[in-house]
Amino acid sequence: MSREQQAVARARKAFETGRSKSVEYRINQLKNLQRLFSERQKEIAAAIKKDLNKTEVGAQFYETLGLEGEISLFIKNLKEWAAPRHVKKNLLTMSDTVYIHPEPLGVVLVIGAWNYPWAVTIRPLIGAIAAGNAAVVKPSEVCVHTSKVMEDLLPIYIDKELYPVVTGGVPETQELLRQKFDHIFYTGNSTVGKVIMEAAAKHLTPVTLELGGKSPCYIDKNCDISIACRRVTWGKYSNCGQTCIAPDYILCEPSIQNRVIEEVKKCIKEFYTDNPKTCPDYGRIINQRHFKRVMAMLEDSNIAVGGENDESDCYIAPTVLRDVKPEAKVMQEEIFGPLLPILPVSSLDEAIKLINKGEKPLALYVFSPDNKVIERMRDETSSGGFLANDCLVHYSVSALPFGGVGNSGIGCYHGKFSFDRLSHLRGCLVKKLKMEGVNDMRYPPHTLKKLGWARFFILNTCLLNLLTIKKKANINFHI
């Protein structure tokens, strides 16, 4: 039996003991996980620094702070979320108990990504723990140091049988995918997402795929261009552009292109100094393979800002490209690096048409003071998330579902959406062995008279509302 098979078997066995069904047990596990982030921040930050050149403050800001907030939200609300949810009835079930009972799915596989290795691996795990599942955690092997820290620390703080960590590369992931899971949660690119889905289909295993895509950013000529470019610069170059919801490219009218370039250039200097290479807040490309991939995208484009690079350090300066054509190399796939192409468009109509020619993105950004422009961009396009006049911040709102649509993903999570996604919402109806006469209309022989009574009971919403009001108010009157 392989190491991966053993981990899955242990998790399944631990789940079958039933201990994760206790809401108190789940809350204790979440509290232990929260303690990990308060006690081991130094080790976490040191590993992220080696992998992505993030500072300790940056690691907390972009990785662990959101996780601590998410855990607190779950601890506060879990008893309510896990409780039976009563639903509306029809006249035929007025005397019955009808409710939704959330129950664990079983054993979940969580496959993390390397760009925010703690944030996008642990957030699904939080949902899996809260929903009462066992979970096999597979951190990305690309973040070598973080993967090792995760493997070392998680078993110290949370149940190592219920939540084993499996490290390794492609062969280990392939072996995991050969096992039967009750849900697979993957964060990464659409190419691997298709492999995950194909493997899951063999066991009819449901999946959540958090993918990516080319997230457009339309800048209206009538907006405050200075503020818009400040927010876009932050959204684009954070983590060296390696963010699944980073603005991938800018659409704007030719008349403001030069102004946009100058404002972005000004913000790059403000955020990362005259020499971003020596700035502690500016990251690095994860490895040389990705460095070469990003640099190859520059081949047929005009550099307006930046372009400096150092392969030995995996450094690419914050770069802006001007007058980019839709057929340019940089427009053929998600950039996932610090290149910001600007595509001049003649109008909002042309921008919408260009966006709709591509796959549905994970996020879509529009900067405009005009609500009509914002509403048109929202209503005439489709994307996982939609933001007006800012970038990235929807990820921080646990009350919003986070996920893609079409090529950018399947399913959503964060907050209660994570709990529901990783639970089976079991429909339940409990009836008493009384009032059998009411049921006569459903038994054979079927007649028009019985059909008439069935129509009355099923379709008569006015009478149902009246009975509901009577029950709530405890009013005594006859119908």
Side-chain angles (χ1 to χ4, degrees):
M1 189 181 280
S2 68
R3 182 171 64 104
E4 294 75 28
Q5 284 177 306
Q6 289 173 3
V8 177
R10 280 197 306 271
R12 179 81 59 189
K13 186 176 180 181
F15 176 76
E16 288 170 355
T17 67
R19 62 179 180 262
S20 67
K21 288 193 174 182
S22 162
V23 173
E24 288 301 330
Y25 186 85
R26 304 179 206 176
I27 290 172
N28 285 335
Q29 292 298 304
L30 291 172
K31 286 179 177 177
N32 291 341
L33 190 58
Q34 194 168 47
R35 196 159 49 83
L36 183 156
F37 295 117
S38 61
E39 295 177 358
R40 301 297 187 125
Q41 192 61 54
K42 294 286 185 187
E43 292 106 307
I44 291 170
I48 293 174
K49 174 70 176 175
K50 291 175 183 175
D51 287 325
L52 289 156
N53 198 44
K54 288 181 187 173
T55 63
E56 184 175 343
V57 173
Q60 290 188 53
F61 197 84
Y62 291 105
E63 294 273 0
T64 60
L65 182 60
L67 294 176
E68 291 178 70
E70 185 89 338
I71 293 170
S72 295
L73 179 75
F74 271 87
I75 291 170
K76 180 182 177 182
N77 293 288
L78 186 54
K79 287 182 180 177
E80 178 189 340
W81 293 347
R85 307 173 192 179
H86 292 277
V87 298
K88 287 186 177 180
K89 310 172 190 180
N90 58 33
L91 281 173
L92 289 173
T93 59
M94 275 300 292
S95 61
D96 305 331
T97 304
V98 185
Y99 59 95
I100 296 167
H101 178 68
E103 64 180 23
L105 293 172
V107 181
V108 175
L109 173 61
V110 177
I111 304 176
W114 54 262
N115 58 329
Y116 293 91
W118 283 90
V120 300
T121 307
I122 301 303
R123 204 178 270 256
L125 176 62
I126 293 167
I129 292 172
N133 300 294
V136 177
V137 181
K138 172 60 181 67
S140 172
E141 71 280 5
V142 179
C143 267
V144 180
H145 304 92
T146 298
S147 179
K148 182 68 171 68
V149 169
M150 210 176 281
E151 181 185 29
D152 292 343
L153 294 185
L154 282 178
I156 296 173
Y157 285 86
I158 58 176
D159 190 323
K160 62 184 179 183
E161 293 177 334
L162 270 171
Y163 319 114
V165 180
V166 175
T167 57
V170 173
E172 289 78 9
T173 304
Q174 288 174 333
E175 179 62 20
L176 279 173
L177 290 172
R178 280 190 278 269
Q179 313 311 310
K180 179 175 170 54
F181 290 94
D182 299 290
H183 196 99
I184 298 175
F185 197 115
Y186 167 74
T187 303
N189 62 64
S190 57
T191 301
V192 177
K194 292 172 185 176
V195 174
I196 302 287
M197 202 168 178
E198 185 178 356
K202 292 175 183 175
H203 300 289
L204 289 180
T205 299
V207 296
T208 301
L209 303 178
E210 296 297 335
L211 309 176
K214 295 185 75 64
S215 297
C217 176
Y218 176 72
I219 300 179
D220 181 5
K221 66 181 178 183
N222 297 314
C223 79
D224 187 321
I225 293 173
S226 178
I227 291 178
C229 290
R230 186 177 174 84
R231 295 177 184 178
V232 171
T233 302
W234 169 71
K236 179 64 182 185
Y237 300 114
S238 292
N239 201 33
C240 204
Q242 298 165 123
T243 304
C244 60
I245 49 173
D248 193 89
Y249 59 95
I250 288 175
L251 297 167
C252 67
E253 292 189 21
S255 61
I256 65 168
Q257 180 177 213
N258 288 339
R259 174 86 191 281
V260 168
I261 291 169
E262 285 307 310
E263 291 295 340
V264 172
K265 184 179 180 180
K266 192 189 302 180
C267 292
I268 290 170
K269 183 178 179 180
E270 179 190 347
F271 296 167
Y272 304 115
T273 74
D274 283 322
N275 185 7
K277 191 175 184 182
T278 60
C279 178
D281 286 316
Y282 189 68
R284 295 294 183 271
I285 298 298
I286 185 67
N287 56 32
Q288 290 191 339
R289 180 172 71 85
H290 282 279
F291 174 91
K292 290 173 181 173
R293 179 189 63 80
V294 175
M295 288 301 298
M297 294 182 181
L298 287 170
E299 288 175 8
D300 56 355
S301 293
N302 298 318
I303 296 174
V305 178
E308 300 84 10
N309 61 89
D310 180 352
E311 184 174 348
S312 65
D313 191 28
C314 289
Y315 168 77
I316 302 175
T319 300
V320 181
L321 309 175
R322 67 174 302 134
D323 294 314
V324 176
K325 305 293 184 187
E327 59 271 15
K329 206 166 183 181
V330 75
M331 292 302 296
Q332 303 314 305
E333 63 177 86
E334 183 179 6
I335 297 168
F336 225 64
L339 313 182
L340 182 57
I342 300 177
L343 281 72
V345 289
S346 60
S347 63
L348 175 63
D349 287 335
E350 188 183 349
I352 290 171
K353 190 180 292 185
L354 197 150
I355 289 167
N356 288 335
K357 276 185 179 178
E359 297 282 6
K360 294 177 181 179
L362 187 55
L364 191 153
Y365 304 107
V366 54
F367 287 83
S368 176
D370 188 342
N371 283 336
K372 289 182 179 177
V373 171
I374 293 169
E375 288 167 5
R376 276 200 64 196
M377 187 62 81
R378 181 198 65 201
D379 295 344
E380 296 178 31
T381 63
S382 179
S383 61
F386 174 83
L387 270 75
N389 299 320
D390 210 345
C391 296
L392 311 190
V393 293
H394 63 304
Y395 185 87
S396 68
V397 183
S398 291
L400 285 175
F402 181 84
V405 58
N407 209 60
S408 59
I410 295 172
C412 61
Y413 73 128
H414 287 198
K416 188 169 181 286
F417 298 100
S418 296
F419 180 85
D420 286 351
R421 185 71 183 170
L422 296 173
S423 296
H424 170 52
L425 301 180
R426 192 177 191 181
C428 300
L429 185 149
V430 180
K431 187 182 284 288
K432 291 184 172 63
L433 291 169
K434 298 177 180 178
M435 299 174 65
E436 183 63 5
V438 178
N439 296 324
D440 282 349
M441 71 183 79
R442 74 188 189 196
Y443 299 140
H446 300 304
T447 64
L448 288 175
K449 183 179 180 180
K450 288 182 179 180
L451 177 60
W453 277 110
R455 290 182 64 84
F456 174 81
F457 277 104
I458 291 173
L459 303 180
N460 198 329
T461 54
C462 292
L463 182 57
L464 176 63
N465 291 336
L466 200 58
L467 287 170
T468 304
I469 292 168
K470 175 188 174 185
K471 188 174 181 181
K472 285 182 179 177
N474 197 26
I475 297 171
N476 293 314
F477 60 88
H478 298 287
I479 299 173

